[in-house]
Amino acid sequence: MIASPEPLRVAPSQTISEHEPDFAAAEEALRALRPLRHPRLREAAAALGNNQPEFAEQLLSAFLKKHPRDADALHIMADIAMRLDRHEVAETLLAKCLKESPDFEAARLNYASALYKQNKLHPAMAELDKLLNANPENLLFRYYKAFVLTLMGRHAEALNWCRHLAEDYPDSAKLWIRYGNALRTMGLRAQCITAYRKAIELSSPLGYWSLGDLKTYRFTEAEIAGMQVQLVRSDLSADDRTNLYFALGKAYADQQLWDKSFDSYARANALRRLAVDYDPDWTTAQVSKFTAVFTPQFLRDRSGSGCGSSEPIFIVGMQRAGSTLVEQIISSHPAVEGAGELQDIGILARRLHDVVAPKYDSEYPGMLGSLDGGALRSLAEDYLNATHLRRSLERPFFTDKEPYNFWHVGFIHLMFPNARIIDVRRHPLACCLSIFTTKFRKPLPFSYRLSDLGRYYRDYAELMEHFDRVLPGRVYRIIYEQLVAEPEFEVRRLLGHLGLPFDDSCLQFERNERPLNSVSNEQVRKPIFQEGVNRWRAYEPWLGPLKASLGPVLHTWAETHGAAG
């Protein structure tokens, strides 16, 4: 099952950050309200704390047979389900738990978490509001509300909550970072920088990385020296060290010290690679599985199924390929609303994999063959209903810019045969290097080793080429380098494909003031520039492993677009 990484998970049994004593105190106070009295439950909780969820589940299953309405047992069982990504199961267990114990605050907080992980954002907010009505000053409840408001696209409200949190907890670097992120989303760059610098004053390496992640920020010599001093510390965590190396990589690049820049990025990624278990062969096997399912006959047999709506415009591709720029251009058209990176397709696919597929002794995407046209229409309507909450402008069309929906092109086609799908493609070396030099908030396990990264890009290209063969013309491809070189020509061609009349505002996309929660949000608030197109060439001496793993993809690109795109 392919799914993009999900946002921060906070459960009452885990602290948000080990470096934030105020969060830890809030969590401890929440737990203290509900001590576990039964020794079997304490044993299960201890097993879960020791990362033994299967053993904890065995203990609880036996306990619940005798005590099926025990709220504490239901809560711990739900926590296990959450850790195993069985969010629908967790939701059901927590609903039962709260029916037995409506004042169980820790369970209600986990219930909100289970809901938002399934993109049930309004029900999640309703649960948070219940908690806040009873305890309006609780740090965790307020933090969660700001987080879910962000997921809902209510960025101005989220900014207000983040501001109050930072003001009320001025010694929390994490809250200054969160506040800075909210300011960044709203395009308030100067205030955002001030917030990040406040986090740096509180000795937060994450503050340095956040400044560097603005892409357009230039570090001062004093800030570079400050990062170098921090790296000497023996008590620095691996995550903090990673943040500093990423920031220094950006700082040295701005000074054109390419060897020091690449060395910093390589160190940062090596630290992250140590913390993940990623097998590139598994990803390649997934491509084979998907291509085996979506054959020409399979697609012909289901032609005309699904929903006739053409409202969604799906923008897919590798990250750092230019998808944010393409969305900003399209969403500057008066007929289109930019909805950002929506998680709904991945959530639907996860539901099919976890809940529906076992009924057919299958898995996603093979189980799609068991669904009739009515089921596909129902799924499409579920998607439209969920995404409607993110569409405040009520325009005829909207963009869904979740890049990893490229895994779900076949599923999207079955649900929405009339919707447009755009694949944004960038020079393989330029795209992969940009990913390698970016620390994403959602971890990308394939991105921490150049050879893994090249393999993943190659797998992506192979999957998209498969859909080009079995669904000719279905996916519209736009090449980033061509868009940058001839923006008006490419924009007119793109709008023509979308069936939209040309509008000059699409060429003045930098004037679009919509909130942007993206790595590239600073860059797309400026006119198109070509300076970054060949940036990868400065790092070419170190890209041997990447070139080798890209293999034929790199040769095909050179034959089709030229070595420089």
Side-chain angles (χ1 to χ4, degrees), residues 320-336:
R320 306 300 296 156
S323 58
T324 302
L325 173 61
V326 171
E327 185 191 39
Q328 185 77 341
I329 289 169
I330 296 172
S331 66
S332 297
H333 195 284
V336 184

Side-chain angles (χ1 to χ4, degrees), residues 100-133:
E100 300 300 327
S101 184
D103 296 328
F104 195 165
E105 288 187 323
R108 195 169 298 281
L109 186 61
N110 255 355
Y111 188 39
S113 179
L115 290 167
Y116 88 66
K117 284 179 178 295
Q118 299 172 77
N119 230 27
K120 299 178 180 180
L121 301 180
H122 280 263
M125 186 61 74
E127 297 304 316
L128 290 172
D129 284 338
K130 290 176 185 177
L131 290 167
L132 284 163
N133 286 338

Side-chain angles (χ1 to χ4, degrees), residues 395-455:
R395 292 177 176 177
F397 305 98
F398 69 97
T399 57
D400 181 340
K401 191 194 75 73
E402 170 51 47
Y404 295 103
N405 278 344
F406 74 77
W407 286 105
H408 306 299
V409 164
F411 180 34
I412 290 170
H413 171 73
L414 294 179
M415 284 194 297
F416 294 104
N418 297 323
R420 299 293 196 268
I421 304 173
I422 301 167
D423 174 31
V424 186
R425 192 73 62 90
R426 186 180 179 187
H427 190 297
L429 293 174
C431 183
C432 290
L433 177 71
S434 189
I435 292 172
F436 190 72
T437 59
T438 300
K439 176 177 176 282
F440 296 91
R441 291 188 175 92
K442 297 177 184 178
L444 301 181
F446 63 84
S447 69
Y448 309 138
R449 183 180 291 162
L450 288 176
S451 57
D452 291 347
L453 187 49
R455 280 277 301 275

Side-chain angles (χ1 to χ4, degrees), residues 458-497:
R458 193 174 74 194
D459 287 335
Y460 145 73
E462 181 179 334
L463 184 59
M464 297 310 296
E465 286 170 12
H466 172 79
F467 284 113
D468 288 344
R469 289 191 296 270
V470 299
L471 293 169
R474 182 69 178 89
V475 177
Y476 179 87
R477 184 156 296 111
I478 186 163
I479 304 301
Y480 172 77
E481 287 80 2
Q482 294 174 359
L483 174 62
V484 169
E486 298 182 277
E488 183 169 349
F489 175 79
E490 291 296 333
V491 169
R492 286 182 179 275
R493 198 165 70 95
L494 174 60
L495 293 177
H497 172 76

Side-chain angles (χ1 to χ4, degrees), residues 28-268:
E28 189 62 38
L30 196 61
R31 288 197 301 271
L33 295 174
R34 190 90 180 191
L36 295 173
R37 294 182 173 83
H38 198 286
R40 180 57 58 87
L41 296 183
R42 291 197 295 272
E43 185 180 2
L48 191 57
N50 291 327
N51 198 28
Q52 298 175 298
E54 293 82 5
F55 179 53
E57 191 170 26
Q58 291 175 10
L59 293 172
L60 289 167
S61 295
F63 185 86
L64 282 167
K65 285 180 181 178
K66 296 180 180 179
H67 310 281
R69 298 170 58 184
D70 187 279
D72 292 306
L74 290 166
H75 180 226
I76 301 172
M77 186 69 91
D79 198 2
I80 294 170
M82 291 279 282
R83 295 187 187 210
L84 299 175
D85 292 331
R86 302 198 300 246
H87 301 133
E88 286 190 272
V89 173
E91 178 189 351
T92 300
L93 289 166
L94 289 164
K96 292 179 181 178
C97 171
L98 290 169
K99 184 177 179 180
E100 300 300 327
S101 184
D103 296 328
F104 195 165
E105 288 187 323
R108 195 169 298 281
L109 186 61
N110 255 355
Y111 188 39
S113 179
L115 290 167
Y116 88 66
K117 284 179 178 295
Q118 299 172 77
N119 230 27
K120 299 178 180 180
L121 301 180
H122 280 263
M125 186 61 74
E127 297 304 316
L128 290 172
D129 284 338
K130 290 176 185 177
L131 290 167
L132 284 163
N133 286 338
N135 193 347
E137 297 304 316
N138 184 281
L139 170 64
L140 294 177
F141 306 161
R142 295 166 67 191
Y143 183 90
Y144 252 94
K145 175 145 186 169
F147 180 65
V148 175
L149 283 169
T150 300
L151 294 179
M152 297 173 78
R154 293 161 60 179
H155 297 292
E157 294 174 74
L159 174 60
N160 191 47
W161 281 80
C162 289
R163 177 173 62 84
H164 285 300
L165 280 168
E167 290 173 347
D168 291 350
Y169 297 89
D171 294 329
S172 171
K174 185 176 186 68
L175 291 178
W176 282 106
I177 295 291
R178 175 65 70 178
Y179 180 37
N181 293 343
L183 289 163
R184 174 179 174 172
T185 296
M186 296 298 291
L188 301 171
R189 186 176 189 274
Q191 293 155 271
C192 161
I193 290 172
T194 299
Y196 291 155
R197 283 177 171 165
K198 178 65 177 176
I200 290 172
E201 289 175 15
L202 295 166
S203 300
S204 170
L206 187 60
Y208 286 110
W209 170 76
S210 299
L211 283 176
D213 195 52
L214 289 173
K215 308 303 180 188
T216 56
Y217 184 82
R218 297 293 181 267
F219 285 106
T220 66
E221 289 295 338
E223 287 168 335
I224 294 172
M227 287 188 273
Q228 293 167 335
V229 168
Q230 288 260 27
L231 281 170
V232 176
R233 289 171 46 193
S234 60
D235 63 339
L236 203 62
S237 71
D239 195 45
D240 285 341
R241 197 171 294 276
T242 297
N243 287 323
L244 290 170
Y245 277 131
F246 269 113
L248 277 173
K250 166 69 165 59
Y252 292 140
D254 290 339
Q255 296 178 337
Q256 298 188 3
L257 299 173
W258 306 115
D259 54 343
K260 296 179 73 172
S261 174
F262 184 82
D263 180 69
S264 296
Y265 285 131
R267 289 172 182 269

Side-chain angles (χ1 to χ4, degrees), residues 13-34:
S13 59
Q14 296 176 311
T15 58
I16 291 178
S17 169
E18 63 184 1
H19 303 298
E20 296 284 351
D22 45 330
F23 280 94
E27 297 251 1
E28 189 62 38
L30 196 61
R31 288 197 301 271
L33 295 174
R34 190 90 180 191

